[in-house]
């Protein structure tokens, strides 16, 4: 399936595995890329820039296909050395970077000089237009259904994707609520050049998270998420569990970040993925859980999506115009 995205970023299929904290490791990224999609390593999952260099080397041992690295810049009391992570990416010869969070403009000259293509994650058309203006090569537009941070506008993908593709000249990747061929075909119909999937790729055999978490994603319905940090204007969609319900309850009672910070600590969320304790902390998952009912290999998932998408377009949709 050729689109502007596959041609610009040099991949076979218009399917991206977005960066995910504690999830985007070499095994998963390499498996997605090997299947013809774009796998992405999450830089900040690695404790240091040198660890990231080693992770990139591990991915290269597993595939010779293109893969990217995600760098998410978020407000922090003790910010990571972002410039050093960027340097590690450049020196490792990676040619695709996914940026998210704050404006990536300070880093763009370094990436451009190194011949790196930049895909920036956005949650609104206005942010996507700004990203295009500063010179990114493509944007990933996140609808309200997505896991993680959906922004504060609450606009679902069915509206946001065509609104973005109408306004932008660069390739647009649809993100949020996509798990299968139907989502891929819908995104293409809405004007997107491909899809980004997070929760769906979490639930694959090569994903390094605990099997119990994968089985819970399969068991969950589309209603099994909570929106936390709503009152703090930093909304995050996470899996419904004992901790996320407690955070929402504290917020509704007027609690501030100080009152929930121990509950939402990243180290606790990491334990969910590593130990399989579903109530150890908060963990990201989208409403798309309701569409996931198996744990395939990345190769099986990508192949199935592309084959079924072609059948949908050529048979079901074509028959409607015949």
């Amino acid at each position: 399936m050729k689109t502007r995205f596959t041609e610009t970023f040099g991949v076979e299929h218009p399917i991206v595995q977005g960066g995910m904290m504690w999830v985007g490791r070499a095994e998963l990224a390499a498996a997605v890329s090997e299947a013809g999609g774009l796998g992405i390593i999450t830089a900040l999952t690695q404790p240091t820039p040198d660890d990231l260099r080693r992770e990139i080397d591990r991915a290269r041992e597993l595939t010779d296909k293109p893969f990217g690295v995600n760098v998410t810049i978020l407000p922090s009391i003790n910010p990571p050395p972002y410039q050093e992570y960027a340097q590690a990416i450049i020196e490792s010869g990676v040619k695709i970077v996914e940026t998210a969070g704050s404006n990536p403009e300070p880093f763009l000259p370094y990436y451009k000089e190194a011949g790196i293509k930049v895909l920036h994650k956005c949650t609104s058309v206005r942010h996507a237009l700004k990203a295009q203006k500063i010179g990114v090569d493509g944007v990933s537009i996140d609808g309200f259904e997505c896991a993680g941070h959906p922004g504060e506008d609450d606009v679902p993908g069915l509206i946001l994707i065509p609104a973005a593709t109408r306004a932008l000249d660069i390739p647009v990747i649809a993100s949020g609520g996509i798990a299968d061929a139907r989502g891929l075909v819908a995104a293409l119909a809405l004007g997107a050049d491909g899809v980004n999937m997070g929760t769906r790729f979490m639930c694959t055999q090569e994903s390094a998270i605990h099997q119990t978490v994968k089985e819970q994603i399969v068991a969950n319905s589309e209603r099994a998420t909570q929106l936390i940090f709503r009152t703090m204007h930093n909304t995050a969609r996470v899996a419904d569990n004992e901790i996320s319900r407690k955070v929402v309850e504290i917020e509704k009672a007027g609690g501030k970040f100080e009152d929930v910070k121990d509950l939402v600590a990243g180290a606790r969320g990491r334990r969910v993925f590593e130990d399989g304790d579903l109530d150890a902390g908060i963990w990201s998952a989208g409403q798309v859980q309701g569409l996931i009912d198996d744990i395939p290999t990345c190769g099986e998932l990508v192949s199935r999506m592309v084959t079924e998408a072609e059948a949908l377009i050529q048979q079901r949709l074509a028959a409607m115009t015949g």
Side-chain angles (χ1 to χ4, degrees):
M1 300 186 77
K2 286 186 169 59
T3 69
R4 290 190 307 160
F5 170 76
T6 62
E7 289 170 357
T8 302
F9 287 80
V11 296
E12 190 181 349
H13 302 308
I15 297 171
V16 180
Q17 165 253 313
M20 295 172 278
M21 197 64 179
W22 314 126
V23 181
R25 300 180 187 273
E27 294 87 348
L28 179 59
V32 175
S33 290
E34 192 64 18
L38 176 62
I40 294 181
I41 291 170
T42 306
L44 298 183
T45 292
Q46 301 304 317
T48 69
D50 281 339
D51 287 308
L52 175 58
R53 285 184 174 91
R54 285 188 282 273
E55 195 72 0
I56 291 168
D57 288 342
R58 284 207 312 124
R60 283 226 174 87
E61 289 169 9
L62 298 168
T63 185
D64 58 4
K65 303 275 185 73
F67 61 85
V69 176
N70 164 280
V71 183
T72 298
I73 301 172
L74 295 172
S76 173
I77 297 165
N78 299 304
Y82 292 115
Q83 189 69 52
E84 291 177 34
Y85 277 99
Q87 198 60 36
I89 293 165
I90 291 165
E91 289 172 1
S92 295
V94 170
K95 291 303 178 188
I96 299 170
V97 167
E98 179 189 64
T99 56
S102 301
N103 188 341
E105 189 169 13
F107 298 92
L108 286 185
Y110 304 105
Y111 292 142
K112 293 289 180 186
E113 190 181 338
I116 292 172
K117 299 284 187 190
V118 176
L119 182 67
H120 185 62
K121 271 189 170 182
C122 310
T123 59
S124 69
V125 176
R126 65 186 184 281
H127 290 153
L129 284 167
K130 177 67 187 297
Q132 176 176 272
K133 188 178 179 183
I134 64 172
V136 304
D137 301 283
V139 296
S140 177
I141 196 91
D142 282 11
F144 185 55
E145 310 92 327
C146 73
H149 293 278
E152 300 304 310
D153 297 334
D154 297 2
V155 181
L158 200 57
I159 308 297
L160 188 59
I161 298 161
T165 59
R166 181 178 62 185
L168 294 159
D169 299 317
I170 56 177
V172 175
I173 296 297
S175 183
I178 298 161
D180 54 29
R182 294 168 299 177
L184 173 56
V185 173
L188 296 174
L190 293 170
D193 300 286
V195 296
N196 178 310
M197 302 191 301
T199 307
R200 173 67 273 197
F201 277 122
M202 281 171 62
C203 200
T204 56
Q205 290 184 27
E206 293 90 349
S207 165
I209 67 174
H210 199 281
Q211 182 70 12
T212 301
V213 181
K214 298 178 191 181
E215 289 170 2
Q216 189 62 47
I217 291 171
V218 170
N220 280 347
S221 78
E222 64 278 6
R223 299 177 66 244
T225 67
Q226 292 285 345
L227 292 167
I228 62 172
F229 305 153
R230 290 292 265 173
T231 60
M232 303 166 201
H233 307 293
N234 187 29
T235 303
R237 186 181 296 283
V238 298
D240 176 50
N241 69 0
E242 189 181 299
I243 303 296
S244 59
R245 287 192 294 272
K246 195 168 184 179
V247 171
V248 170
E249 192 179 298
I250 291 168
E251 283 191 67
K252 281 181 177 170
K256 304 299 180 194
F257 183 71
E258 287 297 310
D259 302 307
V260 299
K261 70 175 185 179
D262 292 336
L263 292 172
V264 302
R268 291 185 64 151
R270 186 176 183 174
R271 273 176 45 213
V272 174
F273 290 144
E274 291 184 353
D275 302 340
D277 179 352
L278 297 168
D279 289 312
I282 60 164
W283 51 284
S284 287
Q287 293 180 312
V288 78
Q289 290 176 108
L291 301 179
I292 296 171
D293 56 15
D294 65 351
I295 308 170
T297 66
C298 291
E300 288 166 349
L301 175 61
V302 172
S303 175
R304 181 170 75 198
M305 282 184 68
V306 172
T307 302
E308 291 180 3
E310 288 169 349
L312 261 176
I313 295 165
Q314 293 167 7
Q315 294 168 27
R316 184 168 189 267
L317 300 183
M320 293 177 181
T321 62

